[in-house]
Amino acid sequence: MTLRKLALATPLAVGGTTYQPEQLTVIGSIVHPGTAIEMTPFKQLYVFVDESKFSEAEEELAKAGLRVLPTGSTTKNLQACNFCKGHEEAGLSFALRLDEAISGMEVPVPIKIGYAGCALGTSEPLTKDISVVKMRDVYDLYVGGDVKGIKAKLAKLFMSGIREERVIPIILEIIDYYRTHAKGKEKFTKYIDRINLKEVING
């Protein structure tokens, strides 16, 4: 029997990362007996399912309102705030579009992308590889955060005052350039330190 590893996430919403009892029931019903459910630093649940039942499991999970994402070296689902200022002011609709655009892309090393709906930054955006902070009607973009290890560092401001329609294309350009020019399994933060990102990314 072959087991397949899945990453599960809930859609972004006011109130943060929440799982409904019905969703947990569905997860429990599809997980292969004897395997554990892991909560990852990416706000994902890792589960194992029987490969032969994957399509059925994926359908049931989607019906329950859960996202099924790839595991491994990918861009992870958006790590967002709780949208405490409300869905309009904090930009929930934009965050959902950003999440859809960036999640699950193959990269040399996993990338965490953050979003904060205001300068309070309750999602700790400066601890992520790439982060977007909404500043009223425009957005600031930060890159290079990495809080793992004893040489932790905060992300630095890369661009400010970006119009909404430009944010996603810029982030996709950054990720694509990293995928193309990283040296082997080079971490995103080391890659940022090695190149002059402003010279290769068009704002």
Side-chain angles (χ1 to χ4, degrees):
M1 179 185 297
T2 302
L3 298 181
R4 185 162 177 176
K5 189 177 184 179
L6 304 179
L8 307 179
T10 57
L12 301 176
V14 174
T17 303
T18 60
Y19 288 86
Q20 302 303 314
E22 297 81 5
Q23 293 174 327
L24 296 177
T25 299
V26 171
I27 293 172
S29 71
I30 64 97
V31 172
H32 186 74
T35 61
I37 298 174
E38 176 188 355
M39 172 61 80
T40 76
F42 311 118
K43 292 188 176 181
Q44 296 178 341
L45 294 179
Y46 278 178
V47 301
F48 288 92
V49 301
D50 187 335
E51 178 71 43
S52 65
K53 299 178 180 178
F54 170 75
S55 296
E56 179 183 347
E58 187 175 36
E59 184 177 343
E60 290 299 312
L61 292 164
K63 284 181 181 179
L66 294 165
R67 301 182 65 203
V68 180
L69 300 166
T71 61
S73 294
T74 65
T75 50
K76 302 305 178 180
N77 53 297
L78 194 64
Q79 310 292 291
C81 62
N82 290 353
F83 303 95
C84 59
K85 292 184 177 293
H87 64 92
E88 288 190 13
E89 186 175 345
L92 176 57
S93 62
F94 170 72
L96 287 167
R97 295 197 304 273
L98 175 58
D99 187 26
E100 186 67 27
I102 58 89
S103 297
M105 301 170 63
E106 290 188 10
V107 285
V109 175
I111 288 182
K112 286 194 287 186
I113 300 175
Y115 177 88
C118 69
L120 289 175
T122 56
S123 58
E124 301 177 343
L126 301 192
T127 64
K128 310 299 189 294
D129 295 288
I130 302 171
S131 269
V132 178
V133 179
K134 189 174 189 292
M135 303 294 286
R136 296 186 179 178
D137 297 326
V138 294
Y139 298 82
D140 290 349
L141 182 62
Y142 292 80
V143 298
D146 183 10
V147 295
K148 290 186 296 184
I150 60 173
K151 295 182 179 180
K153 59 188 296 188
L154 296 178
K156 295 180 180 178
L157 182 63
F158 177 59
M159 290 182 179
S160 61
I162 309 170
R163 300 187 313 275
E164 182 175 299
E165 65 270 20
R166 289 292 303 138
V167 176
I168 293 176
I170 290 170
I171 291 177
L172 292 178
E173 188 177 358
I174 290 172
I175 295 171
D176 185 62
Y177 198 87
Y178 167 60
R179 295 167 69 183
T180 305
H181 295 88
K183 295 181 177 179
K185 295 291 185 179
E186 184 178 27
K187 291 178 65 174
F188 184 79
T189 48
K190 290 185 177 180
Y191 153 82
I192 288 295
D193 290 340
R194 180 170 59 82
I195 70 164
N196 186 340
L197 196 59
K198 289 186 181 293
E199 290 186 356
V200 298
I201 301 302
N202 297 313

